[in-house]
Amino acid sequence: WDRADVRVEGSPATEQALRFNAYHLISAADHDPRASVGARALTGRAYEGHVFWDVEIFKLPFYLHTCPELAKNALLYRHRTLDGARRRARDLGGRGACYAWESTVTGDDVTPRVIRLTTTGKEIPIFTGTQQIHVTAAVTYGAWRYWEATRDQGFMRDAGVEIMIETARFWASRVSAGRRGLHIRRVVGPDEYHHSVDDNAYTNWMARFNLERAVEAVEWLRRELPREAAALFERLGLTSDEPRTWRTVARELHCPAPNASGVIEQFEGFFDLEEYALPREERFRAPISRLFEWERINGLKLIKQADVLMIFHLFPDAFPREVVAANYRYYEPRTDHASSLSPGIHAAVAARLGFREDAEHYWRESLWLDLSNRMGNSA
């Protein structure tokens, strides 16, 4: 706690809220590498304690800079569950390892395929278990950020490089050729309102990052620890041609660029979808009809949470300010923030842009989300 406390002079309420959130993060983590942090910890039946992408993308930075041993344990959980990720990759017709959208102690995916309405018997399909594959690159992203911060050679030798090799293998097997290079088709991005889309910008950006870092990790291990490298590569059947293939895939992977207005298309065809006038009262408390009207929602310019904006949050130096601003202005009005993961990202991107009013608004929404019962689910 001494390492994580934040003091805010002149605003006891802000200080209290920060402490409240830090306490939740600290108390939810464990020193046991067989476990990770469930999306809602153990506060209720929702999500059943399963592990999602928010561990590596949203929680890990806090652990990394306050208690890095907890960050390492969360990543060791991913290494221990590699076999489950390998099974998921095979189930999806790929190679290597594809991490589960909802992961358990074995790493197997337990995402439900449908929701059955008890009143009518109607089944609503759930696409996240088969199409929300960006979690795979999130694990590599977390492992690489841990490596950057700690230079923990033991972790990279024993776990990190193997994670990166197996996830790179999956991405190399998941791409398909097209007229604009290589593509990743039929996915769900962070915005869960749209399924079966092609070239989700965030997913492709993260896949490219995964492939490039895997090449670097293999080269590092071969250079610094040649005997350990030889043993690992033999165990995994890694040939010298594979990293070269990953480099080629990363180079040829279609990562949507900004258009003439500076906006990156969330996925192929998003700009052609029907406009939706988002009422203010639907923000943060999206109506339950979003779930029932999934086919209609799939055709609207309506976003559940930060998607393209995630790129600017995780890669803040990748684009000039005017491009980031253009994307913020385009996507922010179309987002209903039905996920608690959304306001914090909007706050961070707005703050970097100097949009002070928006930054403060979304920061406060995120900071007091549970304490104010903003989304009606604090219980």
Side-chain angles (χ1 to χ4, degrees):
W1 181 248
D2 289 338
R3 287 183 277 172
D5 195 16
V6 179
R7 300 294 180 91
V8 182
E9 290 186 11
S11 183
T14 302
E15 189 173 277
Q16 182 188 47
L18 285 165
R19 286 174 167 178
F20 172 85
N21 287 295
Y23 168 73
H24 272 202
L25 283 163
I26 294 169
S27 63
D30 204 313
H31 291 270
D32 188 337
R34 293 174 299 175
S36 188
V37 185
R40 294 189 184 179
L42 299 177
T43 61
R45 288 294 302 277
Y47 296 144
E48 305 284 351
H50 299 157
V51 179
F52 293 75
W53 71 307
D54 54 302
V55 173
E56 286 76 24
I57 297 299
F58 293 86
K59 296 170 184 157
L60 198 75
F62 172 83
Y63 299 132
L64 188 55
H65 298 294
T66 58
C67 36
E69 67 276 10
L70 294 181
K72 182 177 182 178
N73 283 334
L75 293 167
L76 289 176
Y77 162 81
R78 293 298 194 179
H79 184 250
R80 295 177 72 97
T81 54
L82 256 176
D83 282 343
R86 290 181 176 113
R87 287 190 286 270
R88 187 188 187 213
R90 290 198 299 271
D91 289 345
L92 297 178
R95 296 183 64 235
C98 177
Y99 280 96
W101 182 245
E102 295 192 35
S103 182
T104 64
V105 69
T106 65
D108 288 289
D109 187 74
V110 292
T111 311
R113 295 293 182 261
V114 296
I115 293 177
R116 183 175 289 103
L117 302 181
T118 55
T119 52
T120 63
K122 180 181 179 181
E123 291 187 346
I124 298 172
I126 304 298
F127 297 93
T128 51
T130 54
Q131 296 189 10
Q132 205 146 18
I133 55 177
H134 60 79
V135 58
T136 299
V139 174
T140 288
Y141 184 90
W144 191 261
R145 293 305 182 218
Y146 174 81
W147 166 242
E148 284 184 323
T150 66
R151 290 298 165 184
D152 183 344
Q153 290 201 5
F155 167 78
M156 281 294 278
R157 178 196 64 216
D158 299 334
V161 176
E162 185 173 7
I163 287 172
M164 294 178 195
I165 288 173
E166 292 293 74
T167 52
R169 281 174 161 170
F170 171 73
W171 291 117
S173 71
R174 186 59 171 77
V175 299
S176 57
R179 57 186 177 84
R180 291 181 293 179
L182 298 175
H183 304 267
I184 301 177
R185 306 189 189 282
R186 296 188 64 78
V187 301
V188 172
D191 164 32
E192 297 174 347
Y193 286 164
H194 299 91
H195 65 85
S196 308
V197 306
D198 296 341
D199 290 328
N200 169 250
Y202 172 78
T203 300
N204 288 24
W205 264 80
M206 293 295 287
R208 183 171 64 183
F209 177 90
N210 194 154
L211 291 157
E212 291 173 343
R213 298 297 82 75
V215 173
E216 289 187 47
V218 165
E219 291 175 345
W220 171 83
L221 190 64
R222 184 181 286 128
R223 181 178 63 252
E224 300 294 330
L225 301 167
R227 284 191 299 179
E228 289 86 344
L232 177 64
F233 299 164
E234 181 179 5
R235 177 165 65 84
L236 297 180
L238 183 75
T239 66
S240 57
D241 290 337
E242 273 197 89
R244 285 197 290 268
T245 299
W246 303 338
R247 199 188 299 273
T248 300
V249 172
R251 185 176 62 249
E252 297 182 4
L253 183 60
H254 174 63
C255 290
N259 63 11
S261 300
V263 180
I264 296 173
E265 190 170 30
Q266 184 172 304
F267 53 81
E268 184 178 345
F270 181 86
F271 291 153
D272 299 325
L273 299 182
E274 180 185 341
E275 288 286 0
Y276 179 78
L278 180 60
R280 181 173 294 276
E281 61 271 17
E282 290 186 8
R283 289 191 162 208
F284 295 98
R285 288 196 181 188
I288 192 66
S289 61
R290 294 272 197 274
L291 180 65
F292 305 144
E293 299 175 355
W294 60 272
E295 290 176 291
R296 174 174 173 264
I297 300 299
N298 199 43
L300 300 178
K301 289 181 183 176
L302 175 65
I303 303 167
K304 179 179 180 180
Q305 64 198 81
D307 194 303
V308 171
L309 296 188
M310 291 296 303
I311 299 172
F312 309 118
H313 176 66
L314 298 180
F315 306 100
D317 301 319
F319 291 96
R321 182 186 182 280
E322 56 268 23
V323 169
V324 181
N327 281 271
Y328 182 88
R329 292 189 178 104
Y330 182 83
Y331 287 109
E332 186 272 338
R334 294 172 167 86
T335 306
D336 70 10
H337 308 289
S339 167
S340 59
L341 301 179
S342 191
I345 299 302
H346 281 75
V349 175
R352 288 201 183 107
L353 288 168
F355 295 172
R356 185 178 180 90
E357 186 175 335
D358 273 24
E360 289 193 5
H361 166 69
Y362 282 117
W363 178 66
R364 292 180 187 281
E365 290 284 7
S366 183
L367 187 63
W368 274 281
L369 196 86
D370 286 324
L371 286 170
S372 68
N373 197 27
R374 182 69 168 94
M375 303 181 79
N377 60 2
S378 290

